[in-house]
C-alpha cells in the first residue's frame, strides 16, 4: 500500500456528473494512481495466469509421456502397475473413489455446515456464537495430517457399531452391505472428509450470512415473518452464491485430500458397490502412496492421474460458476 | 451496516477533511511496529533452541560409547544429505547418534523418503548416498551415471532384517505357516482361520472359525517386493503374480506403511500382515515359517542372519548386489528377509561430501557398526560379504 | 413474502397464541421418555437407536404441538430452530473429540524441553527430542509463502471484481478455478522440476514456500473475490460520487468493509498450507537438526514432523506421543495466528450493525 502516500497530495478532481464518474472509474485508467493500481492488479492476474500455464504445460507434457507408454487403457483399466514390463495402469478406480468419497462428504457436510453457520449468525446468543465461530475457525486450520491421525486412531475403531447397524437394517440395498472387514471404506473416508471440510464451509457461509443487509431482514420481520421465514426468504437467497462457493472450497479440499485419506482408507484396485467394503482409492491418496517408490515412468503416470483430478475439479468448479451466475440477481452481488 | 459506513464518509463534509492521510500514517506505524514485534519474536525464537545431543536419554547411545574409537573423522565436515529406504531408518538413527558423538563437525541427515524417491534424489545429484531395499535396476543404473560424472553407481549391502508375519488371533500364541499357505491366504484362497491347510500345520492350536483379514501395503514398498519375491520363489504354483513393489493380488485390505499395517493387526481380530520385525512390538504375535528344515523357524534377528549368510553376491566388480536364498535347508534359518543397500558412486562422488560419506560408511560397515544392528532388531551382513564392502568403501573416490 | 399473508390467522388479539418458554424442554423430556419406552419394549440394545428415535419424536412432537397451538408457520419455525441446534450438536461431537484427543495425547511430552530442542540425534524410536527445528521451519516457510501469495491473490481478486471485464478476467477466473484443484504434490513436483532441476538450486525452505504459495493463491483469490462482491455498490458509488479516485475507493472503502472476510479467507489459506506435508517433503525435505536459514539446506516443518513420527515410528509409543504433541503445537500455533488476524480484522474493520 505504498502508492497511497505517493498520491495523497493529488489535486482534487474537477466535479463531474456522477454517471460520468462511474463510467470513467470503471475504465479505471484515467488518473496516475488508478493506472498504477490497475496495472498492479492486472499484473497479478497475468502472473497467476502465467504460473498456471507453466504448470499446465508441465503436467500435460509429463502425462503425455506416461500415457503413450501405457499398455492398458488409461481410462478404464482396473490396475496400477507402473514398475513392470509392460506398464499397465488406469484411473477408473481412482475416479470412482474420488468422486464417491467427495460426494458423501458433501452430502453430509453442506447441510450441517449451513446449519451451523445459521446457528452462529441467527440463533445462538451473540457471545456463544462468537466463541463457536472462533473454535470453528480454529478447526478449519487443523492440518489434515492431524485429522489423519485422529481418523486412524480414534474414528475408525468407533465405526464398527455404525457399520454393523447399517448392514443390519440397510444391507439389502447393496450399498450398505458389510463383509465384516476393518471399517476403513469409502463411507469412513467420506465421514472423515465431511468432518474436515465442515469448518471451511461453515466459516465462509457464516461470513456471507453476516453480510446480508440488515434492512432485508428487518423488513421481513416487520411483515410478521417468523425467524425461519426471514432466513428462507432473505438470508438464504442472498447467501446462496457464497454458500456454493464455500462448498466448492470444501469440495476442492475433499477431492484433493491426501494424508487423511491415505491413513484411513484401505484402498484396493477394485470397484465395490458397497460403501462399507474396501473398494477404490482416490487420486491424491494414490499419488501419495505410490510416489515415493515410483520409477520415472511411475511418476509420470501419477502426474497423469493428477491431471485427471484437475479436470474433475474444473468441471465441478465450472458447474458452480454457472449456478452462481444464474443466481446473481438474488445475491446483490456486484461483479 | 450500509448506512453507518456511508454516513461516516458523508458526514466528513468535503473530501479534503476526511482524516485519511493521518489514518494511513498511523496504520503504517502500527504495521511497522507489528512487523518489528514479529521479527524480534522470530529472532528471540531462533536464539533459544538447541539440538538434542542424545545425552538426556539413556537409550542405545550409552551402550557402546566406548566404541567411538572405531570412527575416524579424518577431515570430514559439513552436511551430509542422504535419503531412501524407510526400512533401515532405525539402524541409521542408531549409527548417526554414535557418529555424531565422535565427529561433531559432520551433520548427517537421513531422510526416509522411500527407496524409489531416494534413488531419484541420488540420480538428481541431491544426496551423497541413497538407501534402497533392492539393488539398482539397469535403467536406474544408467540414470545414476549422470550423478557420478559418468562412473557407475554401486550397491553396498549394509543392513539385513527379517520380515515378520504378524497376526491377531485370540488364544493362538504360536502359529506355523509355510509359503504355500501364506500365498493362499494373501491371495484370498484361504478365508477362515480353521481351514484344513492351516490346521494341518498347527495340530495343537485351537483355531477359531474367524474370517482371515489379510492386509497388504497400499503404498509401493520394498517390503512388499521382498515378501512377494519370497512367495514366488518358494510357492510358484500358489503365487502367480510377478512381484514388484506394488501389491498385485486382488482383494484383501490394505494400509499405508508398515506402521499402518502393524496398527491394523493390533486393532482387527483375525488380521494377518507382513512388516519389518521391529514393527512387531507391543504384543503382536509373529508366524513361524515352515522351511525345508525339520522344525519351523521363528522370526528373529539371529535366524535371519543365518539365512542371509547363505546369500550370494550377484553384482559384478565392486557392485555387491546380493541374491537371497529363499529356500535355505539349514536349521533355524529364517528365509523371509530384506537387505538394504547403500548406493554410492564408485568414482566421482561429490568432492565436498566425499570425506564425510567415506567416513560414515566405513563406520557403519565396521565391526562395531554392524554389531549395533542387533540391538535395533536388524541383522548384520555376513562376514564374507561385509569384508568386500569394507574394501570397496576404502577405494571410493 | 410469498407465503400466506398474516391476516389469514384467526387470532382474536394482535398476538397469536404461543407456547410457554419451557415447552421445548418438556417436549424433549417427553420424547426421550417415549423413546426409552419404545427401546425397552422393542428390545433395541443400541443407545444410538434410542437417541435417533428420541430425536425424530422430538421433531415430530414439536411440529405437531406447535402447529396446533401456534399455527403452521410457527411450527415450521420451531422445527427449523431445532434442526439448526441438531446440526450444531452433531458437528460438535467429532470436532470436540478431535481437540480432546489431541490435547489428551499431546500433553504427555509437551513441555519446554520439547519446544526448545530439535530431534538432533535422537532416534525416532527413542524418547526425548523436540520440535524446535520444525517450529522454526514452519514459521519461516509459511511466512514467506504468505508474503508471496497474499498480495498477488488479493490484487488479482480486486482486478476480477473491480476492473475485470473481457477475456483476461475470464481467463484468470477460469485458471483460478483450475488452480484450486491442484493436488499439493503436483505443485510440489512443478517447483521441484523448475527450481531444483532446471535452476539447479538445492532443497530449501524457500523452495517449499514457492510451492505453498501456489497452493495458497487460488484460495485467497476465491475467498477475497467473494467478499469483495458482497460490498454493496452503493458504497462504491457514494465514494466515487464524491470524486474520490477509484483506487482510493478500493483501498479505503471496499477493502476495509470486507477486511473481516478477507482475513478469514487468508487464515483459511494459511491454515491449508500450514498443514501441507507432500510438497514440504519434496522440496524442504526435512531434517532433524536446527536450520534457521530458509534459503539454503533442508529445513523441517511441523506437519512433516508429525507424518514422519507417525510413519517411521516402528510402532514405538514415544514417536506417537511426539506426533500428538507436535499436532498440539501446530494447532496452538494456528490458534495464535488466528487470534492475531481476528484482532487486526476487528480493529481495521468499520463498525457494522452486527
Amino acid at each position: 500500500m505504498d502508492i497511497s502516500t505517493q498520491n495523497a497530495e493529488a489535486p482534487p478532481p474537477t466535479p463531474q456528473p456522477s454517471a460520468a464518474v462511474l463510467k470513467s472509474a470503471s475504465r479505471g485508467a484515467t488518473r496516475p494512481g488508478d493506472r498504477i493500481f490497475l496495472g498492479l492488479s492486472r499484473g497479478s492476474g497475468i502472473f497467476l495466469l502465467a504460473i498456471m500455464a507453466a504448470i499446465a504445460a508441465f503436467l500435460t507434457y509429463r502425462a503425455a509421456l506416461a500415457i503413450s507408454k501405457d499398455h492398458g487403457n488409461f481410462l478404464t483399466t482396473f490396475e496400477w502397475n507402473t514398475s513392470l514390463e509392460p506398464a499397465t495402469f488406469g484411473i477408473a478406480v481412482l475416479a470412482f473413489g474420488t468422486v464417491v468419497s467427495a460426494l458423501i462428504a458433501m452430502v453430509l457436510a453442506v447441510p450441517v455446515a449451513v446449519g451451523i453457520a445459521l446457528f452462529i449468525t441467527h440463533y445462538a446468543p451473540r457471545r456463544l456464537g462468537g466463541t463457536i465461530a472462533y473454535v470453528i475457525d480454529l478447526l478449519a486450520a487443523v492440518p489434515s495430517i492431524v485429522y489423519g491421525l485422529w481418523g486412524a486412531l480414534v474414528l475408525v475403531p468407533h465405526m464398527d457399531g455404525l457399520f454393523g447397524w447399517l448392514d443390519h437394517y440397510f444391507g439389502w440395498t447393496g450399498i450398505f452391505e458389510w463383509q465384516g472387514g476393518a471399517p476403513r471404506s469409502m463411507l469412513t473416508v467420506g465421514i472423515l472428509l465431511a468432518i474436515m471440510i465442515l469448518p471451511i464451509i461453515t466459516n465462509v457461509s457464516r461470513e456471507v450470512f453476516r453480510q446480508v443487509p440488515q434492512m432485508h431482514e428487518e423488513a421481513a420481520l416487520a411483515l410478521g415473518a417468523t425467524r425461519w421465514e426471514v432466513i428462507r426468504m432473505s438470508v438464504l437467497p442472498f447467501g446462496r452464491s457464497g454458500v456454493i462457493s464455500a462448498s466448492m472450497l470444501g469440495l476442492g479440499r475433499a477431492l484433493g485430500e491426501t494424508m487423511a485419506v491415505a491413513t484411513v482408507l484401505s484402498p484396493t484396485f477394485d470397484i465395490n458397490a458397497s460403501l462399507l467394503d474396501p473398494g477404490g482409492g482416490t487420486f491424491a491418496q494414490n499419488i501419495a502412496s505410490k510416489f515415493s517408490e515410483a520409477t520415472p515412468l511411475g511418476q509420470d503416470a501419477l502426474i497423469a492421474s493428477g491431471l485427471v483430478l484437475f479436470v474433475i475439479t474444473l468441471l465441478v468448479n465450472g458447474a458452480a460458476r454457472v449456478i452462481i451466475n444464474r443466481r446473481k440477481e438474488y445475491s446483490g452481488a456486484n461483479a | 451496516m450500509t448506512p453507518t459506513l456511508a454516513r461516516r464518509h458523508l458526514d466528513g463534509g468535503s473530501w479534503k477533511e476526511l482524516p485519511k492521510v493521518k489514518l494511513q500514517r498511523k496504520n503504517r506505524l502500527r504495521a511497522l511496529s507489528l512487523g518489528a514485534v514479529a521479527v524480534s519474536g522470530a529472532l528471540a525464537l531462533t536464539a533459544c533452541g538447541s539440538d538434542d545431543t542424545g545425552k538426556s536419554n539413556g537409550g542405545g547411545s550409552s551402550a557402546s560409547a566406548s566404541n567411538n574409537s572405531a570412527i575416524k573423522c579424518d577431515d570430514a565436515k559439513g552436511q551430509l544429505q542422504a535419503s531412501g529406504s524407510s526400512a533401515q531408518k532405525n539402524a541409521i538413527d542408531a549409527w548417526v547418534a554414535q557418529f555424531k558423538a565422535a565427529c561433531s563437525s559432520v551433520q548427517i541427515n537421513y531422510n526416509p523418503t522411500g527407496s524409489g524417491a531416494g534413488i531419484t534424489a541420488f540420480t538428481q545429484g541431491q544426496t551423497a548416498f541413497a538407501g534402497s531395499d533392492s539393488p539398482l535396476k539397469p535403467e536406474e543404473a544408467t540414470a545414476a551415471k549422470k550423478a557420478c560424472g559418468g562412473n557407475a553407481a554401486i550397491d553396498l549391502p549394509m543392513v539385513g532384517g527379517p520380515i515378520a508375519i504378524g497376526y491377531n488371533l485370540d488364544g493362538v500364541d504360536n502359529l506355523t505357516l509355510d509359503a504355500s499357505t501364506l500365498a493362499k491366504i494373501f491371495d484370498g484362497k484361504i478365508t477362515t482361520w480353521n481351514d484344513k491347510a492351516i490346521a494341518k500345520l498347527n495340530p495343537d492350536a485351537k483355531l477359531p472359525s474367524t474370517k482371515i483379514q489379510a492386509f497388504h501395503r497400499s503404498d509401493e514398498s520394498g517390503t512388499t517386493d521382498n515378501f512377494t519375491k519370497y512367495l514366488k520363489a518358494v510357492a510358484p504354483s500358489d503365487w502367480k503374480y510377478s512381484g514388484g513393489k506394488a501389491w498385485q493380488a486382488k482383494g484383501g485390505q490394505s494400509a499405508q506403511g508398515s506402521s499402518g499395517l502393524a496398527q491394523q493387526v493390533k486393532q482387527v481380530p483375525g488380521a494377518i500382515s507382513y512388516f519389518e520385525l521391529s514393527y512387531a512390538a507391543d504384543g503382536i504375535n509373529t508366524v513361524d515359517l515352515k522351511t525345508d528344515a525339520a522344525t519351523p523357524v521363528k522370526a528373529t534377528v539371529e535366524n535371519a542372519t543365518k539365512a542371509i549368510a547363505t546369500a550370494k553376491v550377484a553384482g559384478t566388480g565392486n557392485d555387491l548386489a546380493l541374491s537371497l536364498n529363499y529356500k535355505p535347508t539349514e536349521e533355524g534359518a529364517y528365509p523371509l528377509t530384506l537387505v538394504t543397500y547403500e548406493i554410492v558412486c564408485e568414482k566421482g562422488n561429490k568432492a565436498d561430501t566425499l570425506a564425510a560419506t567415506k567416513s560414515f560408511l566405513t563406520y557403519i560397515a565396521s565391526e562395531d557398526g554392524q554389531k549395533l544392528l542387533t540391538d535395533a532388531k536388524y541383522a548384520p551382513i555376513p562376514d564374507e560379504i561385509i569384508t568386500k564392502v569394507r574394501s570397496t568403501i576404502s577405494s571410493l573416490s | 413474502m410469498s407465503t400466506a399473508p398474516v391476516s389469514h390467522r384467526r387470532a382474536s388479539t394482535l398476538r397469536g397464541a404461543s407456547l410457554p418458554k419451557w415447552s421445548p424442554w418438556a417436549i424433549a423430556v417427553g420424547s426421550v421418555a417415549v423413546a426409552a419406552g419404545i427401546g425397552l419394549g422393542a428390545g433395541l440394545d443400541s443407545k444410538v437407536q434410542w437417541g435417533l428415535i428420541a430425536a425424530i419424536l422430538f421433531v415430530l412432537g414439536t411440529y405437531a404441538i406447535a402447529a396446533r397451538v401456534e399455527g403452521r408457520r410457527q411450527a415450521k419455525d420451531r422445527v427449523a430452530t431445532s434442526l439448526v441446534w441438531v446440526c450444531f450438536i452433531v458437528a460438535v461431537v467429532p470436532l470436540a473429540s478431535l481437540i480432546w484427543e489431541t490435547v489428551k495425547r499431546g500433553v504427555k511430552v509437551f513441555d519446554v524441553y520439547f519446544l526448545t530442542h530439535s530431534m538432533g540425534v535422537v532416534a525416532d524410536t527413542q524418547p526425548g527430542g523436540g520440535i524446535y527445528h520444525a517450529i522454526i521451519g514452519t514459521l519461516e516457510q509459511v511466512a514467506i509463502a504468505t508474503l508471496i501469495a497474499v498480495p498477488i491473490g488479493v490484487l488479482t481478486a480486486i482486478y476480477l471484481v473491480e476492473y475485470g471485464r473481457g477475456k483476461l478476467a475470464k481467463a484468470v477466473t477460469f485458471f483460478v478455478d483450475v488452480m484450486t484443484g491442484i493436488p499439493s504434490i503436483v505443485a510440489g513436483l512443478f517447483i521441484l522440476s523448475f527450481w531444483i532441476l532446471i535452476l539447479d538450486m538445492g532443497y530449501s525452505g524457500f523452495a517449499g514456500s514457492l510451492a505453498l504459495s501456489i497452493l495458497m493463491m487460488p484460495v485467497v483469490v476465491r475467498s477475497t473475490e467473494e467478499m469483495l462482491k458482497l460490498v454493496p455498490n452503493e458504497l462504491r458509488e457514494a465514494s466515487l460520487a464524491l470524486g474520490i479516485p477509484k483506487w482510493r475507493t478500493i483501498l479505503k472503502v471496499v477493502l476495509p468493509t470486507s477486511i473481516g472476510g478477507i482475513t478469514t479467507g487468508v487464515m483459511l489459506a494459511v491454515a491449508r498450507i500450514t498443514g501441507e506435508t507432500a510438497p514440504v517433503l519434496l522440496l524442504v525435505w526435512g531434517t532433524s537438526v536446527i536450520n534457521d536459514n530458509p534459503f539454503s539446506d533442508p529445513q523441517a516443518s511441523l506437519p512433516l514432523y508429525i507424518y514422519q513420527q507417525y510413519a517411521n515410528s516402528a510402532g514405538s509409543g514415544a514417536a506417537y506421543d511426539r506426533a500428538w504433541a507436535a499436532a498440539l503445537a501446530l494447532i496452538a500455533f494456528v490458534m495464535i495466528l488466528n487470534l492475531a488476524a481476528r484482532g487486526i480484522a476487528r480493529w481495521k474493520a468499520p463498525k457494522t450493525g452486527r
Side-chain angles (χ1 to χ4, degrees):
Chain A
M1 316 260 158
D2 288 346
I3 348 144
S4 56
T5 40
Q6 285 171 22
N7 291 287
E9 293 84 30
T14 47
Q16 279 172 332
S18 74
V21 172
L22 273 176
K23 201 177 158 208
S24 74
S26 74
R27 290 264 163 78
T30 47
R31 280 173 271 221
D34 274 344
R35 226 170 292 147
I36 294 170
F37 196 73
L38 172 62
L40 269 179
S41 57
R42 186 187 279 158
S44 310
I46 292 172
F47 178 69
L48 222 99
L49 218 58
I51 294 181
M52 261 325 294
I55 296 182
F58 160 77
L59 284 180
T60 322
Y61 169 68
R62 293 196 64 173
L65 279 183
I67 295 176
S68 65
K69 286 184 194 146
D70 189 355
H71 193 253
N73 184 322
F74 183 65
L75 293 179
T76 56
T77 306
F78 277 38
E79 219 180 309
W80 196 274
N81 282 314
T82 50
S83 51
L84 298 177
E85 288 294 329
T88 312
F89 51 92
I91 51 147
V93 172
L94 302 177
F96 170 81
T98 305
V99 171
V100 167
S101 61
L103 268 184
I104 298 175
M106 293 305 280
V107 167
L108 294 175
V110 172
V112 176
V114 171
I116 302 175
L118 285 177
F119 179 80
I120 292 169
T121 51
H122 288 81
Y123 284 88
R126 196 198 285 188
R127 192 165 295 170
L128 177 66
T131 318
I132 295 167
Y134 176 66
V135 172
I136 300 235
D137 259 2
L138 192 63
L139 283 163
V142 173
S144 53
I145 181 71
V146 179
Y147 279 99
L149 269 183
W150 179 79
L153 300 174
V154 181
L155 180 69
V156 168
H158 281 93
M159 292 299 285
D160 277 315
L162 176 69
F163 273 37
W165 188 80
L166 281 173
D167 181 47
H168 189 257
Y169 290 96
F170 302 100
W172 52 271
T173 55
I175 303 176
F176 295 117
E177 219 178 322
W178 189 35
Q179 307 289 344
R184 302 164 69 240
S185 68
M186 277 299 154
L187 184 65
T188 315
V189 169
I191 291 175
L192 183 67
L193 287 178
I195 296 172
M196 286 181 68
I197 62 178
L198 192 71
I200 299 178
I201 305 180
T202 306
N203 270 345
V204 182
S205 308
R206 182 198 74 212
E207 208 57 54
V208 173
F209 290 156
R210 208 173 264 174
Q211 305 277 350
V212 176
Q214 209 164 8
M215 285 190 292
H216 288 203
E217 290 176 39
E218 280 163 4
L221 280 173
L223 287 173
T226 60
R227 186 152 53 173
W228 170 240
E229 283 162 349
V230 170
I231 288 170
R232 202 163 55 88
M233 281 178 274
S234 72
V235 177
L236 289 185
F238 181 87
R240 188 163 289 152
S241 112
V243 169
I244 292 171
S245 158
S247 309
M248 287 309 122
L249 268 181
L251 184 59
R253 186 161 174 187
L255 285 172
E257 181 44 50
T258 311
M259 274 355 222
V261 178
T263 47
V264 168
L265 184 67
S266 156
T268 51
F269 262 83
D270 248 333
I271 282 179
N272 200 330
S274 170
L275 299 176
L276 274 53
D277 286 329
T282 75
F283 284 111
Q285 167 268 322
N286 190 53
I287 294 177
S289 294
K290 305 272 159 90
F291 192 79
S292 60
E293 293 290 342
T295 56
L297 171 64
Q299 288 192 7
D300 289 347
L302 291 172
I303 289 176
S305 77
L307 198 63
V308 179
L309 175 57
F310 242 54
V311 174
I312 293 181
T313 318
L314 195 62
L315 290 178
V316 169
N317 277 326
R321 283 269 163 206
V322 171
I323 300 173
I324 294 170
N325 286 338
R326 196 174 291 159
R327 296 288 178 184
K328 210 169 261 171
E329 62 263 35
Y330 293 105
S331 70
N334 308 302
Chain B
M1 175 198 80
T2 309
T4 343
L5 191 87
R7 208 175 303 126
R8 218 172 65 162
H9 284 261
L10 292 173
D11 285 352
S14 106
W15 72 279
K16 251 185 172 170
E17 285 168 33
L18 279 174
K20 263 184 241 154
V21 182
K22 223 162 100 199
L23 251 175
Q24 191 68 32
R25 218 167 273 148
K26 226 161 74 192
N27 290 350
R28 245 167 101 222
L29 253 177
R30 279 186 195 161
L32 272 178
S33 59
L34 256 183
V37 168
V39 168
S40 53
L43 283 177
L45 256 175
T46 46
C48 70
S50 55
D51 288 325
D52 194 322
T53 49
K55 277 171 194 149
S56 59
N57 60 80
S61 43
S62 59
S64 45
S66 57
N67 290 343
N68 286 349
S69 57
I71 305 170
K72 294 195 175 54
C73 305
D74 296 335
D75 50 352
K77 58 176 178 292
Q79 284 218 0
L80 186 59
Q81 310 291 353
S83 69
S85 160
S86 53
Q88 65 165 351
K89 166 76 169 143
N90 293 327
I92 297 266
D93 276 351
W95 282 327
V96 167
Q98 295 296 313
F99 190 78
K100 180 87 184 88
C103 307
S104 53
S105 58
V106 185
Q107 280 196 346
I108 295 167
N109 182 20
Y110 183 79
N111 201 346
T113 51
S115 308
I119 292 175
T120 310
F122 178 73
T123 343
Q124 291 166 353
Q126 297 287 337
T127 50
F129 67 90
S132 171
D133 296 335
S134 43
L136 287 172
K137 290 195 204 106
E139 68 266 23
E140 289 169 337
T142 322
K145 274 192 178 167
K146 244 186 281 166
C148 299
N151 301 295
I154 49 174
D155 305 296
L156 302 174
M158 210 63 91
V159 184
I163 299 175
I165 311 284
Y167 65 97
N168 177 346
L169 208 52
D170 250 1
V172 183
D173 293 335
N174 284 303
L175 190 70
T176 305
L177 295 174
D178 58 9
S180 129
T181 322
L182 273 176
K184 284 179 188 155
I185 288 175
F186 278 94
D187 198 20
K189 301 266 162 50
I190 295 179
T191 55
T192 54
W193 279 106
N194 57 1
D195 191 279
K196 268 181 225 150
I198 303 178
K200 210 173 125 198
L201 288 164
N202 300 281
D204 302 332
K206 268 190 239 150
L207 293 166
S209 61
T210 324
K211 267 190 77 171
I212 298 181
Q213 313 276 358
F215 283 91
H216 57 262
R217 289 280 287 266
S218 61
D219 46 342
E220 300 196 357
S221 103
T223 319
T224 303
D225 192 23
N226 282 279
F227 177 58
T228 51
K229 259 189 205 149
Y230 164 77
L231 293 180
K232 196 167 140 53
V234 185
S237 56
D238 294 308
W239 192 257
K240 308 269 190 209
Y241 307 98
S242 53
K245 287 174 175 176
W247 185 257
Q248 289 176 319
K250 293 280 176 199
Q253 300 179 58
S254 58
Q256 170 102 351
S258 288
S259 59
L261 288 181
Q263 203 192 314
Q264 289 310 309
V265 170
K266 244 182 260 179
Q267 276 175 10
V268 180
I272 184 166
S273 190
Y274 57 91
F275 30 75
E276 295 85 349
L277 181 65
S278 52
Y279 287 84
D282 297 343
I284 293 178
N285 289 320
T286 56
V287 167
D288 302 347
L289 279 184
K290 177 92 183 71
T291 60
D292 290 343
T295 47
V297 190
K298 283 206 175 314
T300 62
V301 169
E302 300 78 50
N303 294 349
T305 317
K306 280 183 208 158
I308 296 176
T310 65
K312 304 256 175 325
V313 174
T316 49
N318 276 333
D319 186 277
L320 296 171
L322 300 182
S323 99
L324 294 171
N325 177 9
Y326 290 121
K327 292 193 234 179
T329 47
E330 290 84 351
E331 284 297 319
Y334 185 83
L336 184 43
T337 54
L338 176 138
V339 170
T340 308
Y341 303 88
E342 315 306 337
I343 295 169
V344 285
C345 298
E346 189 177 11
K347 288 188 187 91
N349 285 294
K350 266 183 274 169
D352 50 341
T353 52
L354 176 66
T357 313
K358 256 177 111 164
S359 159
F360 182 64
L361 291 181
T362 308
Y363 164 62
I364 67 177
S366 71
E367 217 167 295
D368 294 320
Q370 291 287 310
K371 216 185 274 167
L372 213 61
L373 284 175
T374 2
D375 297 341
K377 285 199 179 181
Y378 290 98
I381 301 297
D383 286 342
E384 192 194 331
I385 299 165
I386 203 75
T387 327
K388 285 185 199 160
V389 172
R390 283 173 204 150
S391 68
T392 308
I393 293 172
S394 64
S395 71
L396 290 180
S397 61
Chain C
M1 299 280 99
S2 57
T3 47
V6 186
S7 59
H8 270 204
R9 255 171 45 197
R10 285 202 197 136
S12 51
T13 58
L14 277 172
R15 275 180 68 88
S18 68
L19 287 169
K21 271 201 165 169
W22 47 263
S23 61
W25 301 104
I27 299 173
V29 170
S31 49
V32 167
V34 176
I38 294 177
L40 283 175
L44 299 173
D45 46 356
S46 159
K47 296 286 181 296
V48 179
Q49 291 180 32
W50 291 28
L52 276 176
I53 293 173
I56 293 168
L57 280 177
F58 176 72
V59 171
L60 290 180
T62 309
Y63 186 77
I65 294 173
R68 234 196 148 95
V69 181
E70 299 179 320
R72 191 161 284 170
R73 289 175 48 225
Q74 251 64 25
K76 269 190 195 161
D77 183 46
R78 279 186 186 274
V79 169
T81 308
S82 47
L83 282 182
V84 165
W85 274 92
V86 166
C87 276
F88 168 63
I89 291 163
V90 163
V92 156
V93 172
L95 296 177
S97 152
L98 178 82
I99 293 185
W100 169 246
E101 291 287 340
T102 311
V103 172
K104 191 181 83 182
R105 301 184 189 206
V107 290
K108 264 188 229 164
V109 292
F110 194 86
D111 53 20
V112 175
Y113 185 86
F114 186 71
L115 288 176
T116 55
H117 284 76
S118 76
M119 284 304 284
V121 296
V122 175
D124 284 346
T125 47
Q126 291 172 347
I131 54 169
Y132 179 77
H133 58 313
I135 296 179
I136 289 291
T138 292
L139 277 177
E140 292 180 345
Q141 290 146 29
V142 169
I144 295 174
T146 311
L147 281 181
I148 299 173
V150 168
I152 294 179
V154 171
L155 280 171
T156 306
I158 289 176
Y159 175 72
L160 290 179
V161 175
E162 306 291 336
Y163 298 98
R165 308 276 184 279
K167 274 185 195 150
L168 179 63
K170 280 218 176 92
V172 173
T173 310
F174 176 80
F175 276 108
V176 167
D177 281 356
V178 178
M179 261 177 117
T180 52
I182 297 185
S184 53
I185 198 157
V186 170
L189 279 176
F190 170 69
I191 297 293
L192 181 74
S193 48
F194 168 73
W195 180 257
I196 291 185
L197 300 185
I198 296 178
L199 296 184
D200 200 24
M201 312 293 253
Y203 299 120
S204 70
F206 184 68
S209 302
L210 288 178
L212 293 179
S213 66
I214 289 185
L215 295 172
M216 195 174 174
M217 275 179 226
V219 185
V220 175
V221 175
R222 280 300 287 267
S223 55
T224 308
E225 202 188 341
E226 210 52 54
M227 291 309 144
L228 292 180
K229 278 184 191 169
L230 288 173
V231 177
N233 258 347
E234 290 87 341
L235 281 187
R236 295 189 180 88
E237 282 157 10
S239 165
L240 291 172
L242 291 170
I244 294 165
K246 178 154 184 170
W247 65 274
R248 303 208 72 176
T249 306
I250 293 170
L251 285 184
K252 293 294 165 188
V253 177
V254 178
L255 279 183
T257 312
S258 50
I259 191 76
I262 294 176
T263 316
T264 307
V266 169
M267 287 316 304
L268 281 177
V270 169
R272 175 175 171 183
I273 62 159
T274 311
E276 280 300 343
T277 312
V280 175
L281 181 60
L282 280 178
L283 296 163
V284 185
W285 220 60
T287 173
S288 58
V289 295
I290 297 169
N291 175 13
D292 289 334
N293 183 357
F295 296 100
S296 82
D297 293 329
Q299 279 191 308
S301 107
L302 278 172
L304 183 62
Y305 178 89
I306 298 172
Y307 174 68
Q308 288 183 336
Q309 291 298 323
Y310 170 76
N312 306 319
S313 56
S316 99
Y320 277 123
D321 288 346
R322 277 194 296 265
W324 282 109
L328 183 62
L330 187 48
I331 292 180
F333 166 63
V334 174
M335 186 169 77
I336 293 167
L337 211 65
N338 213 326
L339 266 178
R342 284 182 153 247
I344 293 170
R346 180 167 300 171
W347 150 62
K348 282 276 197 180
K351 293 275 171 291
T352 63
R354 220 170 265 162

